[in-house]
Amino acid sequence: MAWDLETARKHLDAWMEANLAVSTGQSYQIGSRNITRANLSEIQKQILFWRREVDRLENGRSGMRVVRVVPRDV
């Protein structure tokens, strides 16, 4: 899927906010109800993904790399 830089930044910001929310407490209990927040490792994976996407879009890279290999018989 293709997205623009603004969308990628919004996603990164949202995941950063989620990370802050989880850092204040992974789970808590009110009376008989127990609330568990999202998985911290999944949030960190998403932050890394969106950070790379923002960098890629800011720098104009397509994300694909071409390497030329010349086989030699030595």
Side-chain angles (χ1 to χ4, degrees):
M1 181 178 190
W3 37 74
D4 60 2
L5 180 58
E6 182 181 344
T7 303
R9 283 185 178 150
K10 285 180 183 178
H11 279 277
L12 178 58
D13 291 342
W15 284 106
M16 294 295 284
E17 287 178 26
N19 189 37
L20 285 173
V22 169
S23 68
T24 61
Q26 184 68 16
S27 64
Y28 56 93
Q29 186 172 355
I30 300 173
S32 63
R33 295 182 180 188
N34 189 16
I35 299 172
T36 304
R37 296 183 191 243
N39 186 348
L40 184 59
S41 65
E42 182 60 31
I43 291 173
Q44 290 172 341
K45 286 178 191 176
Q46 290 295 321
I47 289 172
L48 182 60
F49 173 80
W50 287 109
R51 195 172 275 156
R52 286 178 180 162
E53 286 298 299
V54 168
D55 288 344
R56 180 182 66 82
L57 291 166
E58 284 178 340
N59 296 322
R61 296 184 309 234
S62 67
M64 297 188 67
R65 196 169 103 181
V66 177
V67 177
R68 180 176 170 211
V69 178
V70 178
R72 298 179 123 169
D73 188 16
V74 184

